[in-house]
Amino acid sequence: MDWLTTVDHKKIGILYFAAGGFFFIVGGIEALLIRLQLMFPMGANGESWFLTGQTYNEIMTMHGTTMIFLAAMPLIFGLMNAVVPLQIGARDVAFPFLNSLGFWTFFFGGVLLNISWFTGTVPDIGWTAYAPLSGSEFSGTGSDYYAIGLQIAGIGTLVGGINFLVTIINMRAPGMTFMRMPLFTWTVFITSGIILFAFPALAVGLIYITFDRLFDANFFVTATGGNAVLWEHIFWIFGHPEVYILILPAFGAISEILPTFARKRLFGYSSMVFATALIGFLSFMVWAHHMFTVGMGDIANALFGVATMLIAIPTGIKVFNWLFTIWGGKIQFTTAMLYATSFIPTFVMGGVTGVMLAIPPADFQFHDSYFVVAHFHYVIVGGIVLSLLAAVYYWWPKMFGRMLNETLGKWSFWLFFSGFHLTFFIQHFLGLWGMPRRVFTYLPNQGWDTANFVSTIGAFFMAAGVIVILLNVIISIKGPKAPADPWDGRTLEWSIASPSPEYNFKQLPLVRGLDAFWLEKMDGKKEMTPAEPLGPIHMPSASILPFFMSLGLFIAGFGFMYRGYEFDSAFINNLFGNNIIAICGLAITLVCMFLRSVYDDHGYHIEVEELQKEG
């Protein structure tokens, strides 16, 4: 029950990690099925050896949607919850209740989407859900699961972004100016700003799709005056910033790990901050580079091509600063450092191919080929997943109070890293040799057979790496206890116990400069200088309301989806057809909102005597 009602940011971070990790495995299994299908060409009689075209489309759609929205996003939010309040010296986030609501809406949105596997109507429209394919004329109820499931999950992301913006602005420890914030916190701050402006675009687009499908509106139906290309604009106005929503915290994690294990301070801190802000701004200027082949015209293509190339400048600043940080350092190749250093060349490869795709004439050749698949995965997996794994190994002791096994960690790294390049590097050439993306099979003897076989073998190496990570996590339950500062860290989170207590800081710390804890250690101190006397600590009360508010949205979404469906039972037809299920779901949510509004919860205090007793 404690996990259902908690509003503690650390526990919510763990919930995000658990749910995101589960969906990561689900998305990974879907990826393996895709690679298995493409391992061999079609047979002599044109038959597919493993999956039908329909099943392949469903798995491909769910793989992309699950990995982006239900795995990468919650894992990033898990990291934000686990680290940011500790790094800025806060006792919690600004709105603990909203934080809990954000997690549960994400969770129920993800569950709603994946229930489609059990109802037999799985989305089959690709993760981009292009119109008119996503319209009711061409796709079944599966697309409703996509539209409504993502809509509910998106609420959680939006409120989470707002929460972290307010937290970072208002709850920094005394002395922590903006230019003394750790770089991970800076990247979360910029990311939260991007979320604030990008996710409403997706929410509006999903509402339009839902209205088209359920209420016969015509936003994207060309025959009745709608515009199918409008969806592409809306989706990519969200979709391209989404890449930076995922990658900027990854940049931040790398910027924390490299200095720690190189025993040097981060090179060019100020330029890293401004580069992050510039990337965040430019991320909204480039959406149409996904649409060069739509027919926008030469001027529009040229403008968006140049804008896209501009992003290479601040990104290059970051890459060079990381290299200068480790240059001449006393490097410790822990598992976290292995993942962090491998991230740099891998992500650069993804960035370089991104610049190639930003050239409109070249993009016309690469478009819808496996070259794009390779580029995308070098950015998402090579950039985000590698850095997330680095972050997990780095902050795991602080989150769980246990150390992960380093030997198993290095085994998992080499399996995953070698498997990744084996899988995706060769896909660049598959694209250049003409293999289109999104095909479920191909003719033999076109020069693609061996490359696809090798790519699938690589995917199994990656799977083996993930299995070793899971094994490491299980073993860590009985593993050695983590000290407060296992890596000789530089930032505030390492100044308190592992795992950190419920209230984080007994006394708020006084920050005297960048790398606040490192400065104290250089002065011979083992703890932070307190900024306040010891006193009672106010804590928020746990609440079950976020859980039920989200459950209500889940039920309402289910009710709306099946309002026009013909069931065998007249009773069930009556429940869904008259919107009784949908209204009940909305009523649950509204009642919970009402209770939250009228019940004045003042929380509770941890008294001084209790704090002194804990030592």
Side-chain angles (χ1 to χ4, degrees), residues 258-259 261-264 323-332:
L258 291 180
F261 294 113
R263 298 285 173 248
K264 288 175 64 184
L323 293 177
F324 288 136
T325 299
I326 58 178
W327 183 270
K330 294 178 182 176
I331 300 175
Q332 288 179 298

Side-chain angles (χ1 to χ4, degrees), residues 509-581:
L510 178 66
V511 175
R512 297 189 295 128
L514 185 63
D515 291 342
F517 188 41
W518 184 259
L519 288 179
E520 299 294 327
K521 286 194 284 189
M522 289 300 98
D523 284 349
K525 299 175 184 172
K526 294 184 178 177
E527 295 178 343
M528 290 298 299
T529 304
E532 62 177 4
L534 190 62
I537 297 175
H538 175 259
M539 301 296 295
S541 300
S543 174
I544 194 68
L545 290 180
F547 177 87
F548 280 108
M549 286 168 77
S550 309
L551 178 64
L553 290 175
F554 171 87
I555 294 170
F558 210 71
F560 281 124
M561 276 193 299
Y562 284 95
R563 61 190 286 276
Y565 196 83
E566 290 295 328
F567 293 93
D568 293 335
S569 162
F571 175 70
I572 296 177
N573 268 333
N574 185 42
L575 287 178
F576 280 94
N578 293 318
N579 292 317
I580 294 172
I581 297 292

Side-chain angles (χ1 to χ4, degrees), residues 559-615:
F560 281 124
M561 276 193 299
Y562 284 95
R563 61 190 286 276
Y565 196 83
E566 290 295 328
F567 293 93
D568 293 335
S569 162
F571 175 70
I572 296 177
N573 268 333
N574 185 42
L575 287 178
F576 280 94
N578 293 318
N579 292 317
I580 294 172
I581 297 292
I583 291 170
C584 285
L586 289 176
I588 291 172
T589 302
L590 292 173
V591 167
C592 290
M593 291 171 69
F594 176 77
L595 291 175
R596 173 66 183 172
S597 302
V598 298
Y599 178 62
D600 202 9
D601 183 0
H602 295 289
Y604 65 98
H605 285 85
I606 301 175
E607 300 300 333
V608 174
E609 294 75 19
E610 196 174 341
L611 293 170
Q612 287 172 331
K613 203 178 296 179
E614 290 181 8

Side-chain angles (χ1 to χ4, degrees), residues 98-172:
L98 266 189
N99 203 23
S100 173
L101 179 63
F103 168 75
W104 287 114
T105 46
F106 142 73
F107 179 76
F108 278 110
V111 170
L112 183 63
L113 182 62
N114 277 275
I115 278 181
S116 62
W117 284 115
F118 302 99
T119 59
T121 51
V122 187
D124 56 356
I125 50 179
W127 82 280
T128 53
Y130 281 157
L133 191 59
S134 56
S136 52
E137 186 180 356
F138 298 103
S139 61
T141 311
S143 296
D144 298 327
Y145 280 102
Y146 174 96
I148 296 177
L150 290 189
Q151 186 73 276
I152 295 173
I155 294 171
T157 305
L158 187 57
V159 299
I162 294 169
N163 204 357
F164 276 97
L165 272 178
V166 179
T167 300
I168 294 170
I169 290 172
N170 288 330
M171 298 185 69
R172 285 169 287 124

Side-chain angles (χ1 to χ4, degrees), residues 297-366:
D298 295 341
I299 294 176
N301 283 356
L303 285 173
F304 281 103
V306 170
T308 303
M309 291 180 207
L310 283 177
I311 293 187
I313 296 172
T315 307
I317 290 172
K318 283 181 168 292
V319 171
F320 281 111
N321 281 347
W322 288 325
L323 293 177
F324 288 136
T325 299
I326 58 178
W327 183 270
K330 294 178 182 176
I331 300 175
Q332 288 179 298
F333 277 108
T334 60
T335 305
M337 189 62 169
L338 282 173
Y339 277 112
T341 47
S342 69
F343 156 89
I344 299 175
T346 308
F347 178 74
V348 166
M349 288 178 66
V352 168
T353 51
V355 174
M356 292 169 69
L357 287 163
I359 305 167
D363 182 81
F364 272 69
Q365 305 303 314
F366 302 138

